Amino acid sequence: MIDRSEKIVWLARLGFVARGVVYALLGYLALSSSSTQTVRSGQSGVLGYIQDIPGGVPILFAASAGLLGYALFRFSSAVLDIENRGTDAKGIATRTGHLCSGVIHLGLAWSALQFAIGSKQSAGDRTHDMASTALGFELGALALAIAGVALVTGALFQAREAITLGFMKWVSSRAPTWTCWLGRAGYAARAVVYLLIGWSLLRSAWSENSSEARSVGGAILDLREMGAVHTAVATGLLLFGLFSLIIARYRIIPDPGRKFQAARQALS
């Protein structure tokens, strides 16, 4: 019989599959000149694209479950420290990033569920609307600036991972040897996208103009005028999707059960 923590581990693996599908499709669509609107909507646009293909609904239900599992995995890493990141400055920064990742993937899981049940309300790039709402508050510009700094920092982390192959310490040695090159290309592409989004939020905060803010899709489309750079980033995102599909099998995922039990005993 599979216990609860093992179910979370398997859901997390399904989440890596779902993440892989989303990134692979996003990269593929970014390389297609006829998919501008879908790309502009980012991950949401990809989910809408899946909804319209044959068999898309069951895929979306599976993706929703997987993305939920991935979010729980990231929450476990952030709160319970199942990956033993520690409580020093580096560890806290990493765990904070995992917390943000959990929130983002929880939102994607909800969007996938909405698409699966036939709703298209979540489609579209709402970045400008969210930035406009934030700027409507007294400290909204500061909040956008903090988000921008966080994303620029995240971009530097992604770039470091691409250079040092630090992500491979969480991948089993049984994975294909070329897995690291897929990951390296993917992390480098994500570094560029994160940097563009973070910089756009900083510009939006400075000018108090929500039109400066960019989503993932908007950042990719901004690169289209740069030709080879756009192709390289889109290809990198596609390869990151393939990387995620591979490590769904080979990712080392600590069992959250013991940490959960220890936390529960400490609170009792």
Side-chain angles (χ1 to χ4, degrees), residues 104-184:
I104 291 171
H105 284 87
L106 186 63
L108 285 175
W110 174 250
S111 294
L113 180 61
Q114 290 295 98
F115 279 113
I117 62 179
S119 172
K120 292 194 176 183
Q121 295 180 357
S122 56
D125 183 359
R126 298 166 56 191
T127 306
H128 295 166
D129 293 338
M130 290 187 289
S132 179
T133 299
L135 290 173
F137 292 96
E138 184 177 354
L139 298 178
L142 177 61
L144 280 182
I146 292 174
V149 170
L151 281 164
V152 171
T153 303
L156 296 177
F157 174 79
Q158 299 288 312
R160 188 191 69 179
E161 292 290 284
I163 294 170
T164 66
L165 296 178
F167 58 87
M168 288 301 294
K169 73 178 181 178
W170 297 104
V171 180
S172 170
S173 59
R174 293 181 288 111
T177 56
W178 39 266
T179 301
C180 64
W181 292 103
L182 295 179
R184 170 169 275 172

Side-chain angles (χ1 to χ4, degrees), residues 32-161:
S32 172
S33 59
S34 61
S35 304
T36 301
Q37 187 55 47
T38 301
V39 173
R40 187 178 301 280
S41 301
Q43 292 99 324
S44 178
V46 171
L47 294 175
Y49 177 85
I50 294 174
Q51 184 189 43
D52 293 332
I53 66 176
V57 171
I59 293 174
L60 286 169
F61 276 118
S64 179
L67 291 168
L68 174 60
Y70 187 84
L72 292 175
F73 164 58
R74 284 310 188 193
F75 287 143
S76 297
S77 178
V79 178
L80 301 177
D81 195 20
I82 63 173
E83 294 184 330
N84 297 316
R85 301 286 186 169
T87 55
D88 59 5
K90 180 181 176 181
I92 292 298
T94 301
R95 290 167 65 182
T96 300
H98 288 175
L99 179 64
C100 294
S101 177
V103 172
I104 291 171
H105 284 87
L106 186 63
L108 285 175
W110 174 250
S111 294
L113 180 61
Q114 290 295 98
F115 279 113
I117 62 179
S119 172
K120 292 194 176 183
Q121 295 180 357
S122 56
D125 183 359
R126 298 166 56 191
T127 306
H128 295 166
D129 293 338
M130 290 187 289
S132 179
T133 299
L135 290 173
F137 292 96
E138 184 177 354
L139 298 178
L142 177 61
L144 280 182
I146 292 174
V149 170
L151 281 164
V152 171
T153 303
L156 296 177
F157 174 79
Q158 299 288 312
R160 188 191 69 179
E161 292 290 284

Side-chain angles (χ1 to χ4, degrees), residues 199-259:
W199 180 243
S200 76
L201 293 181
L202 289 173
R203 292 203 317 268
S204 181
W206 177 261
S207 64
E208 296 189 355
N209 184 356
S210 62
S211 66
E212 296 283 353
R214 293 290 185 272
S215 63
V216 171
I220 296 171
L221 290 178
D222 281 352
L223 292 172
R224 281 200 163 177
E225 296 180 358
M226 302 180 67
V229 175
H230 170 265
T231 300
V233 170
T235 302
L237 294 177
L238 191 158
L239 294 178
F240 186 78
L242 297 179
F243 169 76
S244 296
L245 292 173
I246 292 172
I247 66 169
R249 170 66 178 84
Y250 296 106
R251 178 59 155 82
I252 299 171
I253 302 177
D255 186 346
R258 293 181 180 179
K259 290 281 188 176

